[in-house]
Amino acid sequence: MSGVNASKDAGRSHLTVNIGSLRMKNPVTVASGTFGFGPEYAPYLDLNRLGAIVVKGITLLPRAGNTTPRLVETPAGVLNSIGLQNPGVERFITEALPFLADYDLPVIVNIAGDTAQDYARLAEKLSRTAGVAALEVNISCPNIKKGGLQFGSDPASAAEVTRLVKESTHLPVIIKLSPNVTSIVAVAEKVAAAGADALSLINTLLGMAIDIRARRPVLGNILGGLSGPAVKPVALRAVWQVRQAVPLPIIGMGGITSAADAIEFLLAGATAVAVGSANFVNPLATMEVLAGIESYLNENGFNNIREISGLAHNNI
Amino acid sequence: MSGVNASKDAGRSHLTVNIGSLRMKNPVTVASGTFGFGPEYAPYLDLNRLGAIVVKGITLLPRAGNTTPRLVETPAGVLNSIGLQNPGVERFITEALPFLADYDLPVIVNIAGDTAQDYARLAEKLSRTAGVAALEVNISCPNIKKGGLQFGSDPASAAEVTRLVKESTHLPVIIKLSPNVTSIVAVAEKVAAAGADALSLINTLLGMAIDIRARRPVLGNILGGLSGPAVKPVALRAVWQVRQAVPLPIIGMGGITSAADAIEFLLAGATAVAVGSANFVNPLATMEVLAGIESYLNENGFNNIREISGLAHNNI
Amino acid sequence: MSFLLDAEITKQEMIGPGHYRLNLLAPDIAAAARPGQFLQVRCGSTLDPFLRRPISINAVDRENGEVALFYRVAGRGTALLTQKAQGEPVSLLGPLGRGFSLPKSQARVAVVSGGIGIAPLYFLLLELAVFGVSADVFLGAATAGQLFFTKEIKGLGHRVEPATDDGSAGYHGLVTDLFAENMARSSEYAMIYGCGPGGMQRRLAEIIKEFGVSGELSLEERMGCGVGACLSCVCKTGSEGSIQYRRVCTEGPVFPAGEVVWA
Amino acid sequence: MSFLLDAEITKQEMIGPGHYRLNLLAPDIAAAARPGQFLQVRCGSTLDPFLRRPISINAVDRENGEVALFYRVAGRGTALLTQKAQGEPVSLLGPLGRGFSLPKSQARVAVVSGGIGIAPLYFLLLELAVFGVSADVFLGAATAGQLFFTKEIKGLGHRVEPATDDGSAGYHGLVTDLFAENMARSSEYAMIYGCGPGGMQRRLAEIIKEFGVSGELSLEERMGCGVGACLSCVCKTGSEGSIQYRRVCTEGPVFPAGEVVWA
Ligand SMILES: Cc1cc2nc3c(=O)[nH]c(=O)nc-3n(C[C@H](O)[C@H](O)[C@H](O)COP(=O)(O)OP(=O)(O)OC[C@H]3O[C@@H](n4cnc5c(N)ncnc54)[C@H](O)[C@@H]3O)c2cc1C
Ligand SMILES: Cc1cc2nc3c(=O)[nH]c(=O)nc-3n(C[C@H](O)[C@H](O)[C@H](O)COP(=O)(O)OP(=O)(O)OC[C@H]3O[C@@H](n4cnc5c(N)ncnc54)[C@H](O)[C@@H]3O)c2cc1C
Ligand SMILES: Cc1cc2nc3c(=O)[nH]c(=O)nc-3n(C[C@H](O)[C@H](O)[C@H](O)COP(=O)(O)O)c2cc1C
Ligand SMILES: Cc1cc2nc3c(=O)[nH]c(=O)nc-3n(C[C@H](O)[C@H](O)[C@H](O)COP(=O)(O)O)c2cc1C
Ligand code: FES
Ligand code: FES
């Protein structure tokens, strides 16, 4: 199923959305860390039908990740503490990226660092790499000791990372925010002022689980990030609030399993949506979401996906 | 089933816990707003078997509450925006409290205000009322315009409310914290320093849902508070983190539906647990939790409930 | 008295597209139930869907200790309920709420039903027959195939006036229009009982007010607990200036038509 | 090739307390499956439980296009799976992972199983028989009643050495102790295949190392995706100094015994 296919979506411009200068042929992408680097799900769906792919978080140097267990199921959700296991940016470019070059698919690279400088260097490096369409800046990972959430929970640090990354790249810069803050709007505003082209909302909620037999935390890393349907109401609220305050395009995510979920995010103000943990359960979730969005537009007399983004704000 | 029953738990001192100077005959209570004022669930269980009852949030003046819909189901959870509908403290004392006087059951009154002074006045008034065993100070309600979450999201304001309430009462003061903050530990520390006797963790997570047919938020109030199993990992993490930082007793709550859930909270550091939304599904949830905790103690060779509180911290 | 119990399914039957009748063995509930009361039914078995679903009591067989429900597949909960088979247990909480008040005389009454609204009204019609009260039943549905219980209601000695949205049977149009026309001719009813979708009930309340008769409506609202504890299911009652939120689950679901304030 | 499909249940049978055998119609999977591979099985139908469950392929009937699973009720997911009946669909993803490598000669092999570990090993034993390879099967279980497939395995021409924790059949004690004693007498195996609980596998790896033979172990780890995308299911491989996390779902579940580093 690899090779450049003539995309079935070609010409369906009513589904096209723009995330900064990044053009997506449709509004459906995947959430970083839930879809690997592409080959993992290629046996089950035609990757060309995605609006974009967001790859697993990449750091400057390879990372081994956290000790196991790294994942535990929770009610309608999943807690993970992967800890950004990844091959590092060099090997990502030489080993993972070439696979995606054969597809008609914008590649969004999710980046993470221990220091603000790390982010800048990653941005620089990836900007010089063919086949990278945009950067998603992960300042919200709860699973690493340094950096990550630290940047995402302080508006000033978040702005600083944004500024440095923007200075280091011509690619569209999408800042991925954390819900683990008193005011996600405050962070979004600072990040917008610092030049972000778009926002991804939300990363995981900080959580944990305890093994009552062993009487210790289940995850090797003790704390983890909560995702899946359980967090959908929180994610939707974040999109809603940020849309009211900041005029940037939003990639909405958090618990999307169906087209109805995705449409909630669009109506709340997202420009595009990302399917995350749901891929684990249903590798065709993205395709079902896409088909369902199309039906919704048709059945409700909308000509263009852009007509519904944020529409619920008009009806209150 | 009313009238003073000889409690079945009498003498089972191994289940007794202390929340400040409040003695509970067992560690199982209910979460405010999910159990009414007592009579609602009295047909289904013997209220005397609860460690305490926490009543619906009370304000100085009667409140009508928010417009409907006020509640919507979410994946493994519930979003509510009741908006503190209550008869006001006067009518609470004259109309609701007498019913509970017939029980051998400490009454914890949950209080909320628009201003810090409101809390103080409520505390004063309730301290002069027979049959009130403790105050739970709700500085974390996301469903009211003024006050509520406003106090809970700022450590200094939270401390201020705590101080004023402590000055106005001899009753044990339990401060109920919000998870909608960057650092719940920072709030807990300030509240502890201001004299709180105990903490309740957690109130609801700010969330929302959208009706994709009507293209508007489902809740009349737009935003609501998320509770139920979905939030359990977040609640457990809050208890874990606060326990590490603050030496106050904690009433743990958020998504408890079973004894196993409750034991997770105890191992994470809670002294007692409250069952909330689960009462809606299973009015006997508290009784099953209590029985299950007892079995767990027996089967694992513990002599006393206090032995397991925070135990998971020793095993990391 | 209200009970929390696991009731065994004695029969589950699809009686029309998306419409099911469920019989459950629950002698305590059957004995206590009154028309207009409902049960909080646990449709699933895991943490999702989480809440119970309110379903009216459609009929009781006190001798055999059975309770019948009549429900429409509206979403995830009711869809799961259809999958339960004979012999399986269903957790029930109830009977809950304040039902219809039965007439004090044997004077004729009217019953106005829209769609699934017939669920509690059928129980009422059964009891009215027991007390020797005859009813004119204005039975509204989308289409002929959804005019459920017509034969049974006639068998009880009531008169049935059907109305369908698509005109496939009876009056072609809204059941409230049919009822209004009828009232214009003769409005001699001791009581009007109604249940149906929001818009229909609102119109029915207007008609009842217009003709100055007594009426009772059974309302629907999203419920958390079903027992009065959570304050989620409220409706507005009273009159301008003295509006009050009242709980549909305990102070209702049946309210005097004149007391409900439509938003 | 790996597939995502809804497979119809052709048979579901309890074959011991808490132990079930499930037959599914899935010709594509049956054709592609190799011993040691597994499926990601959707046990529920709602959002809770959320994740699929990894279950090994226990046997295939390529002619009839059927796949058999053998599972133990361990928690909520597997408990839900027991409720599915003949004719109902189950969503499967698979076959997944790297299975056992089949021997290149017909020399004797040993198979060491602990508890539910027999699930994938039975499929291996079926294939070995097809290739004319005989195995000594060290079959460990808690008690005699849980020595599943003994008769079938003997029927394939393999030798079975049972061990039970309670001594109710065969060797009284750990299957690894039985195996170690046997190895001390004769360790002439072309390959040792093992599957079972963590502690057993760890001990088995030691024995394999001690006797310097080749061995393959099938590991278990909590899985998110099952296809290599989420990096949750990793195990430590390599040796001191060059430790590597590898994904059990795609680089395993079967690993050369010597490569696994036990924490
Ligand atoms: C007092 C009362 C009696 C009822 N009696 C009957 C009956 O006899 N037969 C019947 O078919 N239906 C009845 N209903 C409506 C029935 O409760 C809903 O159709 C059902 O809850 C839908 O659940 P679902 O999971 O299938 O739909 P979903 O839309 O998936 O439900 C999502 C949530 O919304 C709630 N909800 C959705 N629709 C309604 C509604 N109309 N009223 C209240 N809550 C709703 C659900 O309970 C659930 O919490 C009654 C409702 C009330 C309040
Ligand atoms: C490659 C592989 C093959 C397996 N083959 C079989 C088999 O053929 N037969 C069989 O009975 N069991 C098998 N298991 C174990 C089986 O996956 C678990 O028993 C099952 O996931 C438990 O799910 P539950 O919902 O019943 O238990 P719960 O404890 O409620 O599950 C909670 C979560 O933990 C995970 N989990 C729990 N135990 C295990 C475990 N041992 N391994 C991995 N994840 C676990 C679940 O998948 C779920 O995500 C296999 C495991 C793996 C990794
Ligand atoms: C296993 C796993 C790994 C993840 N890894 C990353 C990551 O590397 N970078 C990142 O920004 N987000 C990561 N996330 C967060 C997701 O991209 C997404 O923000 C979150 O899961 C919410 O979406 P969902 O509920 O649809 O899964 C990860 C999530 C999961 C479950
Ligand atoms: C319907 C409803 C009403 C609530 N009302 C109050 C309240 O009045 N005061 C308060 O402090 N918390 C209130 N809460 C929050 C609960 O007390 C509890 O903190 C929260 O629901 C988490 O617990 P749970 O997941 O077990 O429900 C309410 C929750 C619900 C669902
Ligand atoms: S449903 Fe809880 S008060 Fe009515
Ligand atoms: S389960 Fe996702 S990588 Fe193995």
Side-chain angles (χ1 to χ4, degrees):
Chain A
M1 213 174 273
S2 73
V4 181
N5 295 10
S7 165
K8 275 215 229 169
D9 298 318
R12 298 207 197 164
S13 63
H14 69 295
L15 289 179
T16 304
V17 296
N18 297 306
I19 300 295
S21 62
L22 170 69
R23 198 170 166 281
M24 286 169 60
K25 59 180 168 285
N26 69 57
V28 182
T29 183
V30 292
S32 175
T34 67
F35 208 76
F37 295 116
E40 296 83 356
Y41 283 108
Y44 310 104
L45 76 161
D46 179 359
L47 300 184
N48 285 318
R49 303 214 58 218
L50 291 171
I53 184 172
V54 184
V55 297
K56 172 66 186 168
I58 298 294
T59 52
L60 274 178
L61 298 179
R63 290 181 71 109
N66 292 326
T67 51
T68 56
R70 289 180 174 183
L71 181 129
V72 52
E73 190 185 63
T74 66
V78 166
L79 264 175
N80 89 81
S81 61
I82 308 299
L84 283 179
Q85 175 176 341
N86 81 92
V89 67
E90 298 288 354
R91 281 178 51 209
F92 163 69
I93 293 172
T94 54
E95 294 172 23
L97 206 47
F99 171 85
L100 291 168
D102 287 343
Y103 289 87
D104 171 25
L105 179 66
V107 176
I108 302 175
V109 182
N110 181 278
I111 59 173
D114 293 342
T115 66
Q117 272 307 328
D118 286 358
Y119 286 95
R121 257 177 284 161
L122 280 161
E124 225 174 283
K125 176 121 208 139
L126 289 161
S127 305
R128 285 185 272 108
T129 305
V132 176
L135 301 177
E136 184 180 62
V137 183
N138 177 2
I139 53 168
S140 42
C141 181
N143 291 324
I144 53 174
K145 294 252 143 48
K146 284 183 294 178
L149 190 46
Q150 225 169 275
F151 294 111
S153 30
D154 172 41
S157 314
E160 168 74 359
V161 172
T162 307
R163 207 175 43 70
L164 282 177
V165 171
K166 275 300 284 184
E167 283 171 9
S168 315
T169 188
H170 60 280
L171 295 171
V173 172
I174 307 159
I175 307 290
K176 184 160 176 181
L177 301 187
S178 167
N180 301 295
V181 292
T182 306
S183 168
I184 197 164
V185 167
V187 184
E189 282 171 341
K190 288 282 185 193
V191 157
D197 297 298
L199 302 171
S200 276
L201 307 177
I202 59 171
N203 211 315
T204 53
L205 279 163
L206 201 53
M208 83 179 298
I210 288 179
D211 179 335
I212 69 169
R213 257 174 297 193
R215 292 170 216 145
R216 48 153 285 128
V218 175
L219 295 174
N221 194 45
I222 302 176
L223 304 188
L226 182 64
S227 63
V231 310
K232 195 186 74 173
V234 174
L236 211 51
R237 181 265 299 172
V239 171
W240 175 271
Q241 290 181 320
V242 170
R243 168 71 172 229
Q244 284 185 321
V246 172
L248 294 182
I250 296 169
I251 305 180
M253 72 194 77
I256 296 176
T257 67
S258 66
D261 292 339
I263 293 162
E264 283 192 74
F265 278 88
L266 295 171
L267 294 170
T271 296
V273 292
V275 175
S277 310
N279 292 304
F280 305 162
V281 184
N282 177 12
L284 294 181
T286 47
M287 297 297 102
E288 291 172 12
V289 164
L290 179 56
I293 290 174
E294 287 207 65
S295 310
Y296 182 84
L297 294 179
N298 290 338
E299 285 163 18
N300 292 279
F302 294 107
N303 296 313
N304 195 298
I305 181 75
R306 292 186 293 277
E307 289 172 30
I308 69 170
S309 175
L311 197 56
H313 291 269
N314 303 346
N315 298 332
I316 55 169
Chain B
M1 213 174 271
S2 72
V4 182
N5 296 10
S7 164
K8 275 217 227 166
D9 299 317
R12 297 207 195 161
S13 63
H14 68 295
L15 289 179
T16 304
V17 296
N18 296 307
I19 300 294
S21 62
L22 169 69
R23 198 170 166 281
M24 286 168 58
K25 59 180 167 286
N26 69 57
V28 182
T29 182
V30 291
S32 176
T34 67
F35 208 75
F37 295 117
E40 295 84 354
Y41 282 108
Y44 309 104
L45 76 161
D46 179 0
L47 300 183
N48 285 319
R49 303 216 57 219
L50 291 171
I53 186 173
V54 183
V55 297
K56 172 67 187 169
I58 298 293
T59 52
L60 274 178
L61 299 178
R63 290 181 70 109
N66 291 325
T67 50
T68 56
R70 290 179 174 185
L71 181 129
V72 52
E73 190 186 64
T74 67
V78 166
L79 265 175
N80 89 80
S81 60
I82 308 301
L84 284 178
Q85 175 178 341
N86 81 92
V89 67
E90 298 289 354
R91 282 178 49 208
F92 164 71
I93 292 171
T94 54
E95 294 173 23
L97 207 48
F99 171 85
L100 291 168
D102 286 343
Y103 289 88
D104 171 24
L105 178 66
V107 177
I108 302 175
V109 182
N110 181 278
I111 58 173
D114 294 341
T115 66
Q117 272 307 327
D118 285 357
Y119 286 96
R121 257 176 285 160
L122 279 160
E124 225 174 283
K125 175 123 208 136
L126 288 161
S127 304
R128 284 184 271 108
T129 306
V132 176
L135 301 177
E136 183 179 61
V137 183
N138 178 3
I139 54 166
S140 43
C141 182
N143 291 325
I144 51 174
K145 295 252 142 50
K146 284 183 294 179
L149 190 45
Q150 223 169 276
F151 294 111
S153 30
D154 172 41
S157 313
E160 168 73 359
V161 172
T162 307
R163 207 176 41 72
L164 281 177
V165 170
K166 274 300 284 184
E167 283 172 9
S168 314
T169 187
H170 61 279
L171 295 172
V173 172
I174 307 160
I175 307 291
K176 184 161 177 181
L177 301 187
S178 168
N180 301 295
V181 293
T182 306
S183 169
I184 197 165
V185 167
V187 183
E189 282 171 341
K190 289 281 183 195
V191 157
D197 297 300
L199 301 171
S200 275
L201 308 178
I202 58 172
N203 210 315
T204 54
L205 279 164
L206 200 54
M208 84 179 297
I210 288 180
D211 180 335
I212 68 169
R213 258 176 295 194
R215 292 170 216 143
R216 49 153 284 130
V218 175
L219 295 175
N221 194 45
I222 302 175
L223 304 188
L226 182 66
S227 63
V231 310
K232 196 186 74 172
V234 174
L236 211 51
R237 182 263 301 171
V239 171
W240 176 271
Q241 290 182 320
V242 170
R243 168 68 172 231
Q244 285 185 320
V246 171
L248 294 182
I250 296 169
I251 305 180
M253 72 194 77
I256 296 175
T257 67
S258 66
D261 292 339
I263 292 161
E264 283 193 75
F265 277 88
L266 295 170
L267 294 170
T271 295
V273 292
V275 175
S277 311
N279 291 305
F280 304 163
V281 184
N282 178 10
L284 293 180
T286 48
M287 297 297 103
E288 291 172 12
V289 165
L290 179 56
I293 290 173
E294 287 208 65
S295 309
Y296 182 83
L297 295 178
N298 288 339
E299 285 162 19
N300 292 277
F302 294 106
N303 296 313
N304 195 297
I305 181 75
R306 293 185 294 276
E307 289 173 30
I308 69 168
S309 174
L311 197 55
H313 291 270
N314 303 345
N315 296 333
I316 54 168
Chain C
M1 272 306 271
S2 171
F3 305 90
L4 172 67
L5 49 81
D6 280 338
E8 190 188 312
I9 296 179
T10 53
K11 192 167 158 194
Q12 159 121 275
E13 205 184 359
M14 188 170 96
I15 64 172
H19 287 78
Y20 290 77
R21 198 143 196 260
L22 180 63
N23 290 26
L24 296 147
L25 196 63
D28 287 340
I29 293 176
R34 299 287 168 263
Q37 288 190 304
F38 66 99
L39 304 177
Q40 279 277 70
V41 180
R42 182 110 199 264
C43 297
S45 62
T46 71
L47 298 173
D48 178 75
F50 184 62
L51 295 172
R52 290 170 180 268
R53 302 300 193 244
I55 307 280
S56 304
I57 298 167
N58 179 240
V60 300
D61 175 344
R62 297 203 175 90
E63 237 163 273
N64 294 308
E66 291 196 33
V67 176
L69 307 181
F70 174 56
Y71 69 95
R72 189 177 68 86
V73 176
R76 300 185 326 137
T78 45
L80 276 174
L81 195 55
T82 66
Q83 290 170 23
K84 306 220 179 196
Q86 192 176 329
E88 289 185 49
V90 178
S91 174
L92 305 178
L93 182 68
L96 300 170
R98 256 193 37 190
F100 295 104
S101 47
L102 293 174
K104 294 184 175 55
S105 81
Q106 294 201 326
R108 204 161 186 82
V109 301
V111 167
V112 189
S113 169
I116 195 73
I118 193 62
L121 292 172
Y122 181 63
F123 187 12
L124 175 68
L125 290 163
L126 287 166
E127 295 279 291
L128 288 175
V130 170
F131 288 103
V133 177
S134 290
D136 288 351
V137 183
F138 300 86
L139 193 61
T143 186
Q146 287 180 20
L147 290 165
F148 298 104
F149 302 107
T150 308
K151 222 185 319 168
E152 290 85 346
I153 295 169
K154 286 181 181 162
L156 292 170
H158 304 301
R159 197 163 64 86
V160 175
E161 294 278 358
T164 54
D165 297 345
D166 65 359
S168 54
Y171 181 86
H172 187 170
L174 298 177
V175 69
T176 40
D177 289 343
L178 167 65
F179 179 61
E181 289 176 19
N182 190 85
M183 286 291 275
R185 287 195 299 273
S186 131
S187 60
E188 306 271 291
Y189 294 118
M191 178 70 97
I192 319 286
Y193 299 102
C195 186
M200 173 225 156
Q201 299 227 26
R202 188 195 190 114
R203 176 78 189 102
L204 187 55
E206 283 171 12
I207 301 169
I208 288 169
K209 192 174 174 194
E210 198 180 313
F211 288 90
V213 287
S214 299
E216 289 188 340
L217 303 178
S218 178
L219 304 191
E220 287 190 4
E221 193 43 78
R222 284 166 191 263
M223 293 189 176
C225 64
V227 301
C230 74
L231 304 174
S232 63
C233 64
V234 297
C235 66
K236 270 191 191 158
T237 61
S239 48
E240 292 306 326
S242 73
I243 297 283
Q244 238 197 319
Y245 279 121
R246 283 163 75 194
R247 293 165 297 180
V248 169
C249 68
T250 38
E251 297 162 74
V254 176
F255 290 93
E259 286 185 15
V260 181
V261 178
W262 305 93
Chain D
M1 273 307 271
S2 171
F3 305 90
L4 172 68
L5 49 81
D6 280 338
E8 189 189 313
I9 296 178
T10 52
K11 192 167 159 192
Q12 159 121 274
E13 205 183 359
M14 189 171 94
I15 64 173
H19 288 77
Y20 290 77
R21 198 144 194 259
L22 180 62
N23 289 25
L24 296 147
L25 197 61
D28 287 339
I29 293 176
R34 299 287 167 264
Q37 288 190 305
F38 66 99
L39 304 176
Q40 279 277 72
V41 180
R42 183 110 198 266
C43 297
S45 62
T46 70
L47 298 173
D48 179 76
F50 183 63
L51 295 172
R52 289 169 179 268
R53 303 301 193 241
I55 307 280
S56 304
I57 297 167
N58 180 239
V60 300
D61 176 344
R62 298 204 174 91
E63 238 162 274
N64 294 308
E66 290 197 33
V67 177
L69 306 180
F70 173 56
Y71 69 95
R72 190 176 67 86
V73 176
R76 302 187 321 140
T78 44
L80 277 175
L81 195 56
T82 66
Q83 289 170 22
K84 306 220 177 195
Q86 194 175 329
E88 288 185 49
V90 179
S91 173
L92 304 178
L93 182 68
L96 298 170
R98 256 192 38 191
F100 296 104
S101 47
L102 293 175
K104 294 184 175 57
S105 80
Q106 294 201 326
R108 203 160 187 84
V109 302
V111 167
V112 189
S113 170
I116 196 73
I118 194 61
L121 293 172
Y122 181 62
F123 187 12
L124 174 68
L125 290 164
L126 288 166
E127 295 279 292
L128 289 175
V130 171
F131 289 103
V133 177
S134 291
D136 287 353
V137 183
F138 300 87
L139 193 62
T143 185
Q146 289 181 18
L147 290 165
F148 298 104
F149 303 107
T150 307
K151 222 185 320 170
E152 290 86 346
I153 296 169
K154 286 181 182 163
L156 293 169
H158 304 301
R159 199 163 64 85
V160 175
E161 293 278 358
T164 54
D165 297 346
D166 65 359
S168 54
Y171 181 86
H172 187 169
L174 299 178
V175 68
T176 40
D177 290 343
L178 167 64
F179 179 62
E181 288 176 19
N182 190 84
M183 286 292 273
R185 286 195 301 273
S186 132
S187 59
E188 307 271 291
Y189 294 117
M191 180 67 97
I192 319 287
Y193 299 102
C195 186
M200 174 224 154
Q201 299 227 26
R202 188 194 192 119
R203 176 79 189 100
L204 188 55
E206 283 171 12
I207 300 170
I208 288 169
K209 189 170 175 200
E210 196 180 314
F211 286 91
V213 286
S214 301
E216 289 189 340
L217 303 178
S218 179
L219 304 191
E220 286 190 6
E221 193 43 77
R222 283 163 193 262
M223 292 187 177
C225 65
V227 301
C230 73
L231 304 174
S232 64
C233 64
V234 298
C235 67
K236 271 192 190 157
T237 62
S239 48
E240 292 308 326
S242 72
I243 298 281
Q244 240 196 316
Y245 278 122
R246 284 163 75 194
R247 293 164 297 179
V248 170
C249 67
T250 38
E251 299 164 73
V254 177
F255 290 94
E259 287 184 14
V260 181
V261 179
W262 305 93

